[in-house]
Amino acid sequence: MAGKPNAGKSPFAQLLMFSHCTGEVVAGITPIRKGWGLYQDAETGLLAHHRWRRICRAYGKDPAEITTVDFRDVEVMFSESYVQALEQYCIDRGPDGLVVIDTYGAMLAADIDNNSPQFAHWLRQLGVLSRRQEVVILVLIHGNKSSKDGELEGIAGNIQGAGAMQGVV
């Protein structure tokens, strides 16, 4: 899911996670089936946890009672060992999972150019993992904060990333 900074990607992803893990209809969206979720936040810190609690309370749920969600702060960069650990996590939990990575750019090495083939490498690896383990991986990508146009060109990875993704919202 790509968009400009502060467009609401993280809150939308959390609403989707809530719906998927509780089976609740959220914003008119009915989940196809109830499953487990892993929300990996590498960017917003405490704000993501506050949002999650607010969403749960808004729908009359105690966050502690939603045991199908694992909500984690991530301080690692993409690497083979990270992807292997994520795949093992998915194997242990089984199919029908929803993994949210918030955000892709926050987990990339600083020297990776947004429109280089290296930018798309980990997206491709996540796609392979998604197909093998029958889980949906929602990757949040935000626009270049210095871009004034707000168009596709302002989205990080718009050249290489699109070819590596299975779908784009």
Side-chain angles (χ1 to χ4, degrees):
M1 181 167 47
K4 295 185 284 186
N6 301 313
K9 295 175 301 300
S10 298
F12 178 80
Q14 288 186 348
L15 281 169
L16 187 62
M17 179 72 68
F18 178 85
S19 178
H20 177 74
C21 293
T22 63
E24 298 279 333
V25 174
V26 173
I29 300 169
T30 304
I32 295 171
R33 68 173 57 103
K34 190 175 171 182
W36 59 268
L38 172 62
Y39 196 98
Q40 296 198 302
D41 178 63
E43 190 170 65
T44 60
L46 288 176
L47 178 58
H49 294 277
H50 292 305
R51 281 186 187 134
W52 179 250
R53 287 192 295 274
R54 284 195 311 256
I55 288 168
C56 292
R57 284 195 303 266
Y59 284 91
K61 301 280 186 188
D62 178 350
E65 293 177 6
I66 305 174
T67 59
T68 53
V69 174
D70 192 359
F71 202 91
R72 297 182 179 178
D73 293 319
V74 179
E75 296 179 0
V76 299
M77 294 290 146
F78 276 103
S79 65
E80 290 299 327
S81 61
Y82 166 79
V83 173
Q84 288 170 357
L86 180 58
E87 183 152 22
Q88 187 59 55
Y89 181 94
C90 294
I91 289 168
D92 294 344
R93 296 293 302 263
D96 299 328
L98 172 61
V99 176
V100 173
I101 296 176
D102 187 359
T103 68
Y104 185 68
M107 291 178 64
L108 286 177
D111 63 345
I112 294 178
D113 179 76
N114 284 344
N115 291 308
S116 70
Q118 293 83 10
F119 182 90
H121 173 75
W122 298 115
L123 291 172
R124 287 188 198 95
Q125 300 309 307
L126 293 170
V128 169
L129 188 159
S130 172
R131 288 186 296 277
R132 274 200 304 243
Q133 301 309 322
E134 299 181 29
V135 299
V136 171
I137 300 179
L138 177 61
V139 179
L140 278 57
I141 300 175
H142 60 69
N144 181 339
K145 289 178 170 64
S146 64
S147 175
K148 293 180 178 39
D149 59 16
E151 300 298 323
L152 179 61
E153 291 78 19
I155 301 298
N158 70 81
I159 295 171
Q160 294 294 330
M165 297 181 218
Q166 295 171 5
V168 178
V169 176

